[in-house]
């Protein structure tokens, strides 16, 4: 079964490669004929040139023919020759296979390019859409006006979309073209030149030699019939915008485009130019932004597209109408205001009738005769309702007789008589005159017999002048179509245009010319044909005649064909021609053994490679392509995952349905041994459960036995190992003694390990206390009064300390903690203040005396200095010197100052102790 499925997989790939390479067998792929003969080509030859593989094949065939003589007397080849021939055969075979593989790869790449065309078309559509999106993103952008331009640009990009309507052939990138300025249809340059030349010749052919060349004959566009002058006949190939002559072929530009900015004037002209790159078709609406106001000029100017700069504010117009009474109530509009729609009662011009009429036409005439008396007083006005005065009587003044030869001055009440002379008026024939006397009324018909010539000028006959003469001779001149005779009786020479249908088959080969019979080439077929996809939902419109060479459009609809396998519906895929692709849906058939649904891809129409086919007899014979047959395969083995538990019950893994059974997960057993501390380290194995109630984690008889010591973790703080072997449950309490330091780090204490490890924080503090006073010193300098304790000492010192005032005269004993907290302070009293005042006075006096002494000393030094400079004149000095006598204070001040300070101190000390 698995081998058949491998054949299906390989067959699908090879069949896909064969189907891709088959269409190109005519381009160099020549297989062996039915008669066994050899073809000239080779697998490796994809073109007209020789193939390396084919040349090698021919050389090998020739050499083998020369080395293999036939005949009864020929010597038999040696083993070396056979080996060399076999080696060359293998080399040539490999070369041929490599050439075939290269050819298949090329066809695969071409098919992948065709598959990528759809993605390219989608990207191209996005590029075109992004090109025109700026025309609709701002105010008043209208995408409907861009459809024609977008259509021409899309057709320019699509291969074979542009068609010359004259020759019904595709317009290629490298062909010179001409674009009509009216309908923007594109034609081949030679086609439009021939069309213009033929049109001018047909128009000028009926003219005489004197008129030929004196007039500028126009020629029409084959599609829109837009008239062009003779000078407008295209003679050179330009791009769409007309800037570049013979634009170069650039695959990155629109075909026949120069790639520069278009810059053609917009129609209707607005002063701006087209901003797109050189493009086919009409220019889009002007995208420039201008600031304009509304029609009625009431709204503020706003920025708008130049192509839609005229806009309405939708407010009432308000302009006065032509009636002069009412205002226009229509919303803001362009152009003149419409007539006043209101109705009012208005009099006619003569004022006899009043009617309800539109206010827009206040002047109207009734159907009554005026009837007013004329100035003559005898007649009334016979004019219908009119404006102004009636005027003079038409019978007053001088009047002519009926023949207009005599004048009479008569009252208006009398009629003009006949003059009696001959009438002599020209009759209707325009040749003879009336022979009757002056009479009233019309003249009679001309009855004179004359020699008349018929209208064509071929026959004459005598007959009454008033009767026309038409002969029975039919005109044999050719009409303007130059195909049919006039055949009109008595034709004067101006034969009418041919009124028969042309009926010639058009270039499309489907329709006949619907125009009247004409000269020259018929206009292109105006019909269009829809080329549809396989389902008919997607279509592309092409000119009639192009449907045979146009590829059907790629349809985006889903294929609606019925499935060819057992499924009720096909896989969703695009509409296509030819057979549907193989079904890849899950089979979903019910398997017989397990009842599950088959999850494999549908295999009702699998391709199976045929084996045992004919082998090539020599290197010249091309290897035949593998043959595949389409058949239904049985369902593969069930792959539905079934949850299955391993032997050791570690995991439940999904196994394929066809491979369900007991298995080992290759993990460590992991069941808890009897010690309740370790697990079994054997690989996953079968375990016999002694007691089902104990659970899956208990070891069985097949598991290992624990032989290790106790490795349980000890209580926090216990450094001693457990003395028992590996055992279940908790370890016994540790009874060994531990040596620890007390809180004050002076005394060593001995405590059981279990007490210290099981105690909480408070108990541990009690066990670590030595019951002595704490030796630590408080910040205040006194010793801590608490018993041995952990952490910092409490700051609650109650020892008595002495506190003095700032001058140290008053003192008191207070608690240390209150003094440290600055809760109590001692201030100086009035006595202290008085003592301070006296002491300050003494200090000021001492300072003043010291200052005076310093001044004298400086003065003496100054005088001594001056004396040394000027010299001493003892005699004069003694005569002028004045003796200065020192005071007692100046003499004994150095002895009195220390004595005074001692007295002040003794007095202060006495006062202080008296206060205490």
């Amino acid at each position: 079964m698995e081998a058949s499925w491998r054949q299906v997989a390989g067959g699908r790939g090879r069949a896909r490669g064969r189907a891709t390479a088959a269409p190109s067998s005519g381009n160099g792929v020549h297989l062996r004929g039915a008669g066994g003969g050899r073809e000239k080509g080779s697998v490796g030859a994809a073109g007209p040139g020789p193939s390396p593989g084919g040349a090698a094949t021919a050389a090998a065939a020739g050499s083998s023919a020369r080395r293999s003589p036939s005949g009864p007397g020929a010597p038999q080849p040696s083993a070396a020759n056979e080996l060399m021939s076999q080696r060359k055969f293998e080399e040539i075979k490999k070369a041929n296979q490599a050439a075939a593989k290269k050819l298949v790869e090329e066809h695969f790449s071409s098919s992948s390019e065709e598959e990528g065309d759809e993605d390219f078309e989608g990207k191209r559509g996005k590029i075109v859409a992004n090109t025109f999106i700026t025309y609709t993103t701002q105010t008043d952008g209208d995408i409907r006006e861009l459809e024609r331009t977008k259509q021409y640009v899309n057709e320019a990009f699509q291969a074979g979309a542009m068609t010359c309507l004259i020759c019904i052939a595709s317009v290629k990138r490298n062909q010179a073209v001409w674009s009509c300025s009216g309908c923007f249809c594109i034609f081949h340059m030679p086609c439009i030149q021939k069309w213009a030349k033929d049109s001018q010749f047909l128009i000028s052919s009926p003219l005489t030699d004197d008129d030929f060349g004196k007039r500028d004959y126009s020629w029409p566009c084959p599609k829109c019939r837009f008239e062009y002058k003779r000078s407008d006949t295209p003679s050179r190939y330009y791009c769409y915008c007309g800037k570049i002559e013979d634009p170069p072929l650039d695959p990155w530009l629109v075909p026949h485009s120069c790639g520069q900015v278009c810059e053609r004037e917009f129609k209707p002209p607005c002063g701006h130019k087209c901003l797109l790159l050189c493009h086919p078709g009409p220019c889009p609406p002007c995208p420039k932004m201008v600031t304009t106001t509304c029609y009625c000029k009431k709204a503020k100017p706003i920025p708008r597209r130049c192509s839609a700069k005229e806009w309405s504010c939708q407010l009432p117009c308000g302009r006065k109408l032509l009636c002069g009474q009412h205002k226009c109530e229509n919303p803001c509009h362009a152009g003149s205001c419409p007539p006043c729609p209101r109705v009012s009662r208005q009099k006619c011009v003569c004022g006899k009738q009043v009617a309800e009429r539109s206010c827009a036409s206040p002047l109207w005439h009734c159907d009554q005769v005026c009837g007013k008396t004329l100035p003559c007083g005898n007649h009334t006005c016979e004019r219908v309702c009119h404006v102004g005065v009636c005027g003079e009587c038409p019978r007053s003044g001088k009047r002519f007789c009926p023949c207009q030869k005599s004048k009479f001055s008569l009252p208006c009440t009398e009629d003009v008589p006949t003059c009696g002379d001959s009438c002599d008026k020209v009759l209707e024939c325009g040749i003879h005159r009336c022979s009757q006397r002056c009479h009233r009324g019309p003249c009679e018909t001309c009855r004179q017999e004359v020699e008349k010539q018929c209208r064509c000028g071929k026959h004459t006959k005598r007959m009454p002048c008033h009767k026309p003469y038409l002969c029975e001779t039919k005109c044999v001149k050719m009409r303007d179509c130059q195909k049919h005779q006039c055949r009109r009786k008595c034709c004067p020479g101006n034969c009418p245009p041919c009124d028969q249908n042309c009926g010639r088959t058009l270039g499309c080969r489907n329709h006949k010319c619907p125009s009247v019979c004409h000269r020259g080439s018929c206009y292109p077929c105006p019909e269009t044909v829809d080329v549809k996809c396989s389902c008919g939902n997607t279509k592309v419109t092409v000119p009639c005649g192009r449907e045979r060479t146009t590829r059907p459009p790629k349809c985006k609809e889903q294929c609606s064909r019925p499935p060819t396998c057992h499924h009720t519906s096909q896989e969703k895929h695009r509409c296509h021609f030819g057979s549907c692709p193989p079904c890849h849906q899950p089979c979903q058939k019910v398997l017989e053994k397990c009842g599950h649904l088959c999850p494999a891809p549908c295999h009702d129409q699998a391709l199976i490679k045929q084996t045992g086919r004919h082998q090539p007899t020599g290197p010249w014979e091309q290897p035949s392509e593998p043959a595949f047959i389409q058949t239904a395969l049985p369902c593969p083995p069930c792959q539905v995952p079934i949850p299955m538990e391993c032997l050791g019950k570690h995991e439940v893994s999904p196994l394929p349905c066809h491979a369900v059974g007991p298995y080992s997960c290759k993990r460590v057993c992991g069941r808890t041994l009897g010690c309740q501390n370790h697990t079994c380290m054997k690989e996953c194995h079968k375990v016999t459960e002694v007691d089902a109630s104990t659970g899956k984690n208990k070891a069985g008889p097949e598991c290992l036995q624990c032989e290790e010591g106790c490795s349980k973790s000890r209580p926090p703080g216990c450094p001693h190992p457990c003395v028992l072997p590996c055992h279940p449950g908790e370890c016994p309490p540790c009874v060994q003694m531990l040596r620890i330091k007390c809180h004050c780090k002076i005394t060593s204490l001995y405590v059981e390990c279990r007490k210290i490890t099981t105690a909480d924080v408070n108990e541990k503090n009690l066990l670590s206390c030595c019951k002595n006073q704490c030796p630590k010193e408080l910040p205040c300098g006194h010793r801590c009064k608490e018993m041995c304790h952990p952490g910092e000492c409490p700051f609650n010192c109650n020892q008595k300390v002495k506190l003095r005032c700032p001058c140290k005269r008053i003192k008191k004993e207070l608690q240390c903690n209150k003094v440290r907290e600055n809760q109590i302070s001692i201030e100086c009293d009035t006595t202290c203040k008085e003592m301070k005042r006296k002491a300050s006075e003494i200090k000021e006096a001492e300072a003043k005396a010291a200052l005076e002494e310093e001044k004298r000393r400086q003065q003496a030094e100054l005088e001594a200095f001056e004396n040394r400079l000027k010299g001493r004149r003892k005699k004069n000095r003694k005569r002028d010197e004045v003796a200065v006598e020192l005071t007692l204070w100046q003499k004994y001040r150095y002895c009195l100052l220390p004595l005074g300070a001692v007295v002040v101190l003794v007095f202060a000390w006495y006062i202080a102790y008296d206060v205490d």
Side-chain angles (χ1 to χ4, degrees), residues 254-483:
V254 178
H256 317 292
S257 171
C258 63
Q260 301 181 19
V261 180
C262 178
E263 292 186 349
R264 284 184 286 182
E265 294 288 342
F266 287 110
K267 294 181 181 180
C270 62
H272 303 126
K273 295 183 180 180
C274 180
L275 302 178
L276 291 180
L277 299 184
C278 182
H279 62 91
C283 294
C286 181
K288 290 285 187 178
M289 299 298 294
V290 295
T291 303
T292 59
T293 184
C294 61
Y295 296 114
C296 65
K297 313 297 182 183
K298 293 181 180 179
K300 292 182 179 180
I302 60 174
R304 292 177 64 88
R305 294 276 188 186
C306 182
S307 58
K309 58 186 176 182
E310 296 182 352
W311 60 285
S312 172
C313 64
Q314 300 302 320
L315 296 176
C317 176
R319 285 184 283 188
K320 188 165 285 190
L321 299 175
L322 295 177
C323 66
Q325 298 178 2
H326 307 105
K327 292 184 179 180
C328 180
E329 297 178 355
N330 291 339
C332 178
H333 59 86
S336 301
C337 295
C340 182
R342 299 194 181 186
V343 177
S344 61
R345 294 182 62 83
Q346 300 176 5
K347 289 184 178 181
C348 65
V349 174
C350 64
K352 292 182 178 180
Q353 292 186 5
V354 178
E356 288 188 354
R357 292 178 55 83
S358 173
C359 189
S361 56
L363 299 178
W364 63 286
H365 300 269
C366 64
D367 54 356
Q368 294 184 8
V369 179
C370 178
K372 294 181 180 179
T373 303
L374 296 177
C376 65
N378 299 321
H379 302 94
T380 57
C381 181
E382 296 179 358
R383 295 168 58 189
V384 182
C385 180
H386 62 88
V387 182
V389 297
C390 297
E392 297 293 333
C393 179
R395 298 169 63 90
S396 62
K398 292 182 178 182
R399 288 178 286 167
F400 286 94
C401 65
C403 68
Q404 301 293 321
K405 291 182 179 180
S406 301
K407 275 187 179 182
F408 296 93
S409 297
L410 299 173
C412 64
T413 56
E414 296 181 10
D415 295 330
V416 177
T418 58
C419 64
D421 197 356
S422 60
C423 179
D424 206 24
K425 289 182 180 179
V426 180
L427 299 177
E428 291 180 357
C429 65
I431 300 174
H432 306 102
R433 294 181 179 272
C434 182
S435 60
Q436 295 181 359
R437 291 187 179 278
C438 180
H439 62 87
R440 293 184 177 88
C443 297
E444 62 179 7
T445 305
C446 181
R447 299 183 182 275
Q448 294 188 29
E449 287 190 1
V450 293
E451 190 77 18
K452 273 200 166 186
Q453 193 177 21
C454 66
R455 188 168 56 182
C456 64
K458 293 182 179 180
H459 304 280
T460 58
K461 185 178 181 182
R462 192 165 187 83
M463 59 185 304
C465 184
H466 70 277
K467 289 184 179 181
Y469 175 38
L470 299 176
C471 68
E472 297 295 325
T473 305
K474 292 183 179 180
C475 182
V476 294
K477 289 184 179 180
M478 301 297 289
R479 296 196 179 186
D480 58 350
C481 64
Q482 300 298 319
K483 295 179 182 179

Side-chain angles (χ1 to χ4, degrees), residues 18 123 227 267 306 335 353 357 516 522 569 600 632 636 688 834:
R18 183 187 69 225
K123 293 179 180 178
E227 295 288 339
K267 294 181 181 180
C306 182
Q353 292 186 5
R357 292 178 55 83
V516 294
C522 297
S569 61
T688 303
E834 184 65 25

Side-chain angles (χ1 to χ4, degrees), residues 715-754:
C718 178
H720 311 106
C722 180
V723 296
L724 299 179
C726 188
H727 59 86
E730 299 291 336
C731 297
C734 183
V735 295
Q736 296 191 34
M737 301 300 290
L738 287 177
R739 179 182 177 183
I740 60 175
K741 287 287 186 178
C742 66
H743 298 300
C744 53
K745 309 299 181 182
I746 297 176
T747 307
S748 297
L749 303 176
Y750 292 89
V751 185
E752 288 186 0
C753 182
R754 63 180 181 179

Side-chain angles (χ1 to χ4, degrees), residues 659-830:
V660 172
Y663 73 100
S664 173
C665 65
K666 306 300 181 182
R667 296 184 182 179
V668 178
C669 176
R671 288 178 175 261
T672 305
L673 300 178
C675 64
Q676 302 295 326
N677 297 323
H678 300 93
T679 57
C680 178
M681 301 303 293
K682 290 175 67 176
E683 190 179 294
C684 178
H685 59 88
K686 183 178 180 181
V687 179
T688 303
E689 295 183 359
V690 180
D691 189 2
S693 62
T694 56
K696 298 181 180 180
N697 293 328
K698 189 173 182 181
E702 296 84 1
C703 296
L704 298 175
Q705 299 295 326
C706 182
E707 298 178 355
E708 298 183 7
C710 180
S711 59
K712 291 183 179 180
S713 59
R714 305 298 293 162
C718 178
H720 311 106
C722 180
V723 296
L724 299 179
C726 188
H727 59 86
E730 299 291 336
C731 297
C734 183
V735 295
Q736 296 191 34
M737 301 300 290
L738 287 177
R739 179 182 177 183
I740 60 175
K741 287 287 186 178
C742 66
H743 298 300
C744 53
K745 309 299 181 182
I746 297 176
T747 307
S748 297
L749 303 176
Y750 292 89
V751 185
E752 288 186 0
C753 182
R754 63 180 181 179
K755 291 183 179 180
I756 198 67
T757 55
T758 58
D760 57 5
V761 177
N762 295 331
E763 291 178 354
K764 284 183 179 180
N765 291 337
L766 291 176
L767 292 175
S768 300
C769 182
C770 62
K771 311 299 181 183
N772 296 325
Q773 184 181 354
C774 178
K776 295 178 184 179
E777 189 176 275
L778 298 176
C780 61
H782 303 120
R783 184 178 176 180
C784 180
K785 301 295 184 182
E786 300 291 333
M787 193 181 295
C788 180
H789 61 85
E792 298 292 335
C793 296
F795 187 63
N796 54 356
C797 182
N798 294 325
Q799 190 170 347
K800 297 288 186 179
V801 296
K802 291 182 179 180
L803 187 66
R804 293 177 179 273
C805 67
C807 65
K808 309 297 184 181
R809 190 182 69 82
I810 303 173
K811 65 177 181 177
K812 291 184 180 180
E813 289 186 357
L814 301 172
Q815 291 183 357
C816 180
N817 57 354
K818 292 183 179 181
V819 174
R820 296 284 295 182
E821 293 175 359
N822 295 326
Q823 293 182 357
I824 299 174
S825 60
I826 300 176
E827 301 295 336
C828 294
D829 55 2
T830 55

Side-chain angles (χ1 to χ4, degrees), residues 555-572:
C555 180
K556 296 184 179 180
E557 300 293 334
Q558 302 295 332
C559 180
S560 58
R561 297 180 185 178
T564 56
C565 58
H566 68 279
H567 292 102
T568 57
S569 61
Q570 292 194 82
E571 284 184 303
K572 291 183 178 181

